[in-house]
Amino acid sequence: MTLKQEVQRIASSYTEKKNDALLVIGLIHQGETHVFPFGDHPIQKHVQPEDVIFEIGSISKVFTTSILAGMLQKGQIKLDDSISLYCSHVRKNHPIQIEQLATHTSGLPPHRLLRDLQLCFLPKVRRDMYCQYSLDELLKLLNSKKWNQPKSFPSRYSNVGMGLLGLIMGWSCHKTYEQLLKEYIAEELHLSSTFITINEDIKEKMILGHQENGKEVPPLHMHDYQGAGAIRSTISDLLSFLTAHLEADVDSLWKMTHAPRRKMGRNMSMGLGWIIDDTGLICHNGATSGFSSFMGFRPHSKAGVVVLSNYRNRLTQDSPDRIAYDLMNMLESKMK
């Protein structure tokens, strides 16, 4: 079977029975990139699939840690720095360090159903989606007795922790997170369609997302914790970003983000932002209220995959994660 036929076999069923669905797949295989779209969304009448802009959700986190790597290389920040060095509202010598934010080992809270229930009875304040604490609430939490003594905190995936990292990096050099994204990644890699703030001139290239039931949802807006999941991008830009990581040599600033630093359960480890599974796949997935996505690569095979969907999926539905894993296995089987 040809590469296109293999991809169709693995992915084409995903868009069935999904109104206005668009699934775009990007592959890195034998030094070349390939893009395969599925679905019949009307945006394709005036925008090429490789130029359609998607919300990438938590894939944003590896952009955040890639920015961190650049700042580490320039000596602008250190992994063992206390967060209090960059946040005057946090008490001095706070035990949480920069590396802990980047590896989800800060002890900061994950998303919890109990917190959702609690929020029903608290005053309505601005909180970013999937981040259950406002910035003021987080600062109060950081100054609470919970962190009276330095200690080893548990591994738990925290949007507010990664979002705080994005804020701290900006505070350290008096810039916004989006300015750092442009300076350290978008300009460096010539990514013309990777951004956060929506301008009029790019609206026609933005696709609307859909909930699990097919209902359209408005674009995502995150204000405080943008480093956790606010980025928008195209398959072309993401393939360029992934290629930079895939081709990173041992001295590259990108390479330092790939090394396993903390265990996250039996079969997974954390690099700086990246998740490394026991097969050697370095990856991260993402989801917003209307989108789902996956990015991953294996350095030894020089193969990589990006999958973007304008649908959020139920746990019982097919997903970009499944498609990506099957595609990676297919690519590597072709190399044997």
Side-chain angles (χ1 to χ4, degrees), residues 227-268:
I231 296 175
R232 311 170 207 277
S233 192
T234 64
I235 200 77
S236 293
D237 277 9
L238 293 174
L239 283 171
S240 295
F241 176 79
L242 189 60
T243 298
H245 276 274
L246 187 58
E247 296 180 351
D249 60 33
V250 68
D251 297 319
S252 167
L253 64 93
W254 307 111
K255 193 73 173 180
M256 72 173 69
T257 65
H258 307 162
R261 292 172 179 267
R262 299 288 187 276
K263 291 292 293 182
M264 297 283 284
R266 291 178 58 188
N267 302 316
M268 290 189 179

Side-chain angles (χ1 to χ4, degrees), residues 105-152:
T105 54
S106 66
L108 287 172
H111 194 100
R112 293 194 184 281
L113 294 177
L114 185 60
R115 177 65 178 173
D116 279 337
L117 180 62
Q118 184 184 30
L119 292 179
C120 295
F121 301 97
L122 291 178
K124 299 296 181 183
V125 300
R126 190 183 74 182
R127 299 182 182 92
D128 284 346
M129 185 173 290
Y130 307 116
C131 298
Q132 297 172 312
Y133 292 80
S134 70
L135 184 54
D136 285 342
E137 289 169 338
L138 178 59
L139 293 175
K140 289 178 182 177
L141 179 63
L142 289 169
N143 287 316
S144 68
K145 294 180 180 179
K146 179 180 177 67
W147 280 278
N148 271 354
Q149 298 294 328
K151 60 181 179 180
S152 178

Side-chain angles (χ1 to χ4, degrees), residues 58-110:
S58 285
I59 290 178
S60 302
K61 292 178 172 67
V62 296
F63 279 77
T64 298
T65 54
S66 296
I67 296 169
L68 174 63
M71 296 180 71
L72 289 168
Q73 190 179 61
K74 292 182 177 181
Q76 296 172 311
I77 200 168
K78 296 179 181 178
L79 288 177
D80 60 359
D81 281 345
S82 166
I83 61 173
S84 56
L85 289 177
Y86 307 98
C87 183
S88 60
H89 298 291
V90 175
R91 70 175 189 271
K92 290 184 179 180
N93 300 315
H94 200 284
I96 293 179
Q97 298 177 341
I98 298 299
E99 181 176 358
Q100 292 172 312
L101 295 179
T103 56
H104 296 288
T105 54
S106 66
L108 287 172

Side-chain angles (χ1 to χ4, degrees), residues 163-206:
L164 178 61
L165 176 60
L167 286 169
I168 283 174
M169 294 191 303
W171 292 336
S172 72
C173 50
H174 308 288
K175 295 179 180 179
T176 66
Y177 175 79
E178 188 164 18
Q179 286 172 329
L180 295 181
L181 174 66
K182 182 177 180 180
E183 177 183 345
Y184 281 87
I185 298 180
E187 290 181 348
E188 181 74 18
L189 299 178
H190 308 291
L191 310 184
S192 60
S193 298
T194 298
F195 60 93
I196 295 172
T197 303
I198 301 172
N199 297 318
E200 285 297 324
D201 59 340
I202 51 84
K203 279 188 175 179
E204 67 172 11
K205 294 183 179 180
M206 289 179 55

